[in-house]
Amino acid sequence: MWGKQPVCAADVASALQWWSDAGVDCLVDEAPRDWLRPKSDPIAASGNGPPATVAEARESLPDQLELFRAYLAESDTLPFAAPGAPRVCPSGDPASGVMLLTDMPAAEDCSAGVLLSGDAGRLFDRMLAAIGRSRETIYLAAFSCLRSPSGSFNEGSATQCATLARHHIGLAAPKALLLLGDNCSKALLGMPMMQARGRWHQLSTHMGDIAAMASFAPSYLLDQPGAKKHAWADLQMLMDKLEQ
């Protein structure tokens, strides 16, 4: 009840979505949280044994792009890895000069074996066509090539995926990196997508800094078509960067 009026389920869902869009990363959490605890330094949480530092975790990763892609396709140490769990691996041309990173495969992506499939994929293809690109002329990868059972990240998995993603980005060495959605932006730029978008950031990797920008995930644009004009502005910035 809200006062003397019953709460409508649709209103509750709308309010929760509003907080999610505003950057609240956990709508419901059963475990208590110490909000005043200082944040620790980033680590690559392995899930077994003591955590390694980011540098130590990176040193154990393949140092060639093709070997790293094979590692993503085969390693059983990745977050959410489980026997028989489908993986949706990177696609496109790593030498294209532009890399796009989405968060994790949707359920339909796992079935199709392709990132950004279905309605979101059709919108994504139109977005690429608008800047004179296609899936064959960009390099598309996921922050996690495996989907979690909940379809979301926790703090440990996000940290481990960030270590893997930075290494991946460093090996690919694109001229420009476009991060699609909140998860990638928070983990790699340290801020929500809405706060990060509209300007270029320097993303540090072991191979040097990479120009990175955050923008809307196609799935978000399907639900919020009014944001398409802002996504188009981001794509224009991407075109300008690639033409420099």
Side-chain angles (χ1 to χ4, degrees), residues 107-120:
E108 60 185 342
D109 297 345
C110 293
S111 299
V114 178
L115 287 172
L116 299 177
S117 61
D119 290 341

Side-chain angles (χ1 to χ4, degrees), residues 191-231:
M191 62 187 77
M193 179 273 297
M194 290 296 289
Q195 183 180 345
R197 65 161 296 274
R199 66 187 190 276
W200 288 102
H201 305 260
Q202 292 300 309
L203 178 66
S204 176
T205 78
H206 68 294
M207 297 298 288
D209 289 350
I210 301 294
M213 184 173 65
S215 190
F216 303 89
S219 57
Y220 180 93
L221 296 175
L222 289 176
D223 294 334
Q224 302 291 335
K228 289 181 179 179
K229 60 182 179 182
H230 303 298

Side-chain angles (χ1 to χ4, degrees), residues 2-183:
W2 183 269
K4 296 183 178 180
Q5 299 297 322
V7 177
C8 173
D11 291 341
V12 173
S14 177
L16 291 176
Q17 184 62 49
W18 166 258
W19 285 114
S20 178
D21 294 342
V24 177
D25 61 1
C26 185
L27 298 179
V28 178
D29 195 349
E30 295 181 356
R33 181 179 301 189
D34 182 359
W35 296 100
L36 300 180
R37 183 185 64 189
K39 290 186 178 180
S40 58
D41 291 335
I43 58 173
S46 64
N48 294 305
T53 65
V54 171
E56 289 171 344
R58 191 181 63 236
E59 286 174 1
S60 67
L61 298 173
D63 60 1
Q64 297 178 30
L65 182 58
E66 287 307 311
L67 293 178
F68 182 77
R69 290 178 60 162
Y71 168 83
L72 292 178
E74 300 168 1
S75 175
D76 60 1
T77 65
L78 299 180
F80 318 124
R87 304 181 187 216
V88 187
C89 294
S91 61
D93 182 8
S96 64
V98 57
M99 181 174 181
L100 288 84
L101 197 71
T102 186
D103 57 0
M104 68 170 55
E108 60 185 342
D109 297 345
C110 293
S111 299
V114 178
L115 287 172
L116 299 177
S117 61
D119 290 341
R122 285 184 281 275
L123 175 58
F124 178 66
D125 291 339
R126 293 197 296 272
M127 292 166 67
L128 292 179
I131 59 172
R133 295 270 176 163
S134 67
R135 289 180 185 250
E136 291 73 31
T137 58
I138 56 110
Y139 185 46
L140 176 63
F143 191 56
S144 170
C145 62
L146 289 132
R147 182 173 175 80
S148 69
S150 66
S152 60
F153 296 92
N154 59 30
E155 184 176 353
S157 61
T159 300
Q160 190 175 0
C161 287
T163 299
L164 294 168
R166 282 181 186 271
H167 189 78
H168 193 178
I169 294 162
L171 294 177
K175 182 175 182 179
L177 170 69
L178 188 62
L179 304 173
L180 299 175
D182 233 21
N183 287 311

